[in-house]
Amino acid sequence: MRKSLLSSLLLLVSSIALASEPKTYGQALPEATAVPISVAAADTDAYLGKANRFSGRITEVCQKEGCWMMLEDNGEVARVMMHDHAFAVPKDASGRAEVHGVLSVKQLSKEAAEHMAEDGNGIVPPSRELRIDATGVRIEG
């Protein structure tokens, strides 16, 4: 009985440890310090058009395919698009994430904003948004 209890406890502890491992989707992220979304938003010119590593908290994920997600940091947000729809993240993804990609500023048409709302939480996004074309995403476990 004691041996069985110990085995069960070890199995539980190892499964918890594995669950907390970060998971990468798409390409592996290069070694670099991640720039918080709030820092990039405060000085977009310094980050536009350049591949960088960005960080934030996942607040929303595309509920159709997992092909985009929203990252937030200190009140600033950016939409992360999975480059060429080459990969997706789980629709229930949450927590902290880091992404590697190119930052841009997009003007959304009314139709595009409504489409994003339909695929997300129903809230129509602002017409101007920060967007990251990501080649890789790492989500904390």
Side-chain angles (χ1 to χ4, degrees):
M1 175 73 173
R2 187 173 235 173
K3 199 176 210 180
S4 174
L5 182 60
L6 181 58
S7 295
S8 296
L9 184 59
L10 286 174
L11 183 60
L12 176 65
V13 169
S14 65
S15 66
I16 290 170
L18 289 176
S20 65
E21 289 292 315
K23 178 88 170 130
T24 300
Y25 302 88
Q27 298 175 9
L29 277 64
E31 290 298 320
T33 301
V35 176
I37 292 300
S38 60
V39 172
D43 188 12
T44 53
D45 289 343
Y47 298 98
L48 286 177
K50 302 173 194 152
N52 277 293
R53 195 165 167 164
F54 299 97
S55 65
R57 179 181 59 86
I58 300 170
T59 60
E60 186 180 358
V61 177
C62 171
Q63 293 302 294
K64 263 194 170 169
E65 300 178 39
C67 60
W68 58 262
M69 67 182 192
M70 298 298 289
L71 281 186
E72 182 275 336
D73 180 68
N74 204 23
E76 297 292 341
V77 296
R79 185 178 308 273
V80 178
M81 305 294 291
M82 308 317 153
H83 182 71
D84 287 340
H85 279 74
F87 64 98
V89 298
K91 295 176 196 175
D92 63 349
S94 63
R96 303 246 356 125
E98 291 188 2
V99 303
H100 182 258
V102 177
L103 182 71
S104 63
V105 175
K106 293 291 181 190
Q107 290 297 129
L108 296 178
S109 67
K110 180 181 175 189
E111 294 79 19
E114 289 171 353
H115 173 75
M116 294 295 183
E118 286 174 16
D119 289 352
N121 62 12
I123 298 171
V124 177
S127 62
R128 180 190 178 276
E129 71 177 13
L130 291 181
R131 187 170 290 183
I132 300 168
D133 183 24
T135 55
V137 174
R138 192 183 96 208
I139 299 174
E140 298 296 324

